[in-house]
Amino acid sequence: MVQFDEHLRRLVSEACEHPSGSPQRQKLLTQIIRLSASRLWRESTPYYQDALQQTWLYFCRNVCEGLTGQIYNPTYGSVITWLNAYLKRRLQDFYINQNREQATTVHLRVRQSTSGGIRETIDPVDNLPATPQPPPILEDLEIWAKTDSEGELCGTYIKGRPDVNCQMLILKRLPPEVSWKELSEEFGLSIPTLSSFYQRQCLPRLRKFAELEGLL
């Protein structure tokens, strides 16, 4: 493990010697990602892939320049430790947001006695913290998805449902993400159908964009 960590440190050092966006750096960052992928924290939550995608984008943006966060410092730990710390924070954010979404659907029902009998009132949960805004690291993704200059995202949709396309799903799943449950209810499609389409059609296009931008 020590040798592996040292190997990753050397690759990072070498990558950062090349200009941002250069083929040489992109090649080395891709190599680091491939080596690191099997060593990262894993769990079977439905939002894991979304959190992992954010982690790779964060890595590419901050391993050398610290564009959207704290630059990687090898004296504080290995590359894997750094990535896992960020990944777990993103998973925690998704978990908190999911619980918040569930909480907003729960109403406190208070039965009150009145002269005419029993009346049921509803007190909505309206004092919840505001949903956090998308982190800067995702701004480029949002602009790309909204622009959809070649119409590829809009043109890629679930069979018979052009309204359920990659552009819409990518934007909906960017933080603060809309839950799969809400999307399922909104479009009348099952969660597995939506999630599977997203994994097969939308995530590959996200990765392609990240690669073209030198993020992966």
Side-chain angles (χ1 to χ4, degrees), residues 7-23:
H7 179 52
L8 286 187
R9 283 196 185 98
R10 285 198 298 270
L11 288 175
V12 166
S13 178
E14 187 179 348
C16 294
E17 290 175 359
H18 298 288
S20 177
S22 66

Side-chain angles (χ1 to χ4, degrees), residues 79-139:
V79 173
I80 300 299
T81 300
W82 180 57
L83 290 173
N84 272 335
Y86 183 84
L87 174 59
K88 289 178 181 179
R89 286 198 300 273
R90 295 292 71 76
L91 288 168
Q92 186 178 39
D93 288 345
F94 279 117
Y95 175 76
I96 291 171
N97 286 340
Q98 185 180 62
N99 282 352
R100 182 179 293 125
E101 289 166 353
Q102 291 172 352
T104 58
T105 65
V106 177
H107 297 82
L108 176 63
R109 296 177 180 274
V110 182
R111 294 171 67 83
Q112 296 179 328
S113 296
T114 65
S115 57
I118 293 181
R119 184 182 67 187
E120 187 178 73
T121 61
I122 298 175
D123 178 21
V125 183
D126 55 7
N127 292 320
L128 292 168
T131 305
Q133 294 300 307
I137 192 171
L138 298 178
E139 288 180 358

Side-chain angles (χ1 to χ4, degrees), residues 107-177:
H107 297 82
L108 176 63
R109 296 177 180 274
V110 182
R111 294 171 67 83
Q112 296 179 328
S113 296
T114 65
S115 57
I118 293 181
R119 184 182 67 187
E120 187 178 73
T121 61
I122 298 175
D123 178 21
V125 183
D126 55 7
N127 292 320
L128 292 168
T131 305
Q133 294 300 307
I137 192 171
L138 298 178
E139 288 180 358
D140 288 347
L141 275 177
E142 185 176 5
I143 293 170
W144 162 74
K146 285 182 176 178
T147 305
D148 191 21
S149 56
E150 297 180 2
E152 181 183 4
L153 299 180
C154 283
T156 306
Y157 53 83
I158 292 177
K159 187 176 181 180
R161 293 295 302 271
D163 57 322
V164 186
N165 55 59
C166 279
Q167 182 189 50
M168 182 276 293
L169 286 176
I170 287 172
L171 290 172
K172 292 276 192 181
R173 295 299 293 169
L174 290 178
E177 76 285 347

Side-chain angles (χ1 to χ4, degrees), residues 7 16-17 43 58 63-64 71 76 89 100 109 112 115 121 124 162 186-188 190 202 209 213:
H7 179 52
C16 294
E17 290 175 359
E43 57 182 61
Y58 179 84
V63 67
C64 295
I71 191 172
Y76 292 143
R89 286 198 300 273
R100 182 179 293 125
R109 296 177 180 274
Q112 296 179 328
S115 57
T121 61
E186 180 179 351
F187 295 104
S190 70
C202 304
F209 167 75
E213 291 296 305

